[in-house]
Amino acid sequence: MKYWLRGKRGGVVIFLLIAALVTGGLGGTTVAALRMEREQLDDHLRAQHRDQLQLALWHLDSLIGPALAKEDSRPYNHYS
């Protein structure tokens, strides 16, 4: 080991190096956790939107369905 790492300066340098590595690791983990949380929130919002759209289409189908069935039962020559 080098001589300058044996004194107080060396201890401070090594401490700062280890602190920087730990801080970097924790920072990276925090960023990954926040990104995952945001993706889960986006997935939840997409699922809510899909459910609302499905309900709206069901309502629309229940209103228009009988009229479409009536038109569908007419023979082809009625449209001429």
Side-chain angles (χ1 to χ4, degrees):
M1 210 186 239
K2 303 263 184 206
Y3 175 74
W4 63 275
L5 289 178
R6 293 185 187 169
K8 288 184 180 181
R9 285 186 197 166
V12 170
V13 168
I14 290 175
F15 173 78
L16 291 176
L17 179 65
I18 291 173
L21 290 173
V22 169
T23 303
L26 290 175
T29 303
T30 302
V31 167
L34 290 173
R35 185 178 301 130
M36 186 183 310
E37 185 177 348
R38 181 66 184 170
E39 288 173 1
Q40 288 176 348
L41 180 63
D42 288 344
D43 290 343
H44 178 70
L45 291 176
R46 278 192 212 104
Q48 275 186 332
H49 184 261
R50 184 188 66 232
D51 292 343
Q52 289 175 350
L53 184 61
Q54 185 177 3
L55 183 63
L57 288 173
W58 179 76
H59 282 292
L60 184 63
D61 195 30
S62 67
L63 292 174
I64 297 179
L68 284 177
K70 181 180 175 184
E71 289 294 321
D72 193 35
S73 67
R74 292 175 59 185
Y76 174 74
N77 58 359
H78 284 193
Y79 292 104
S80 297

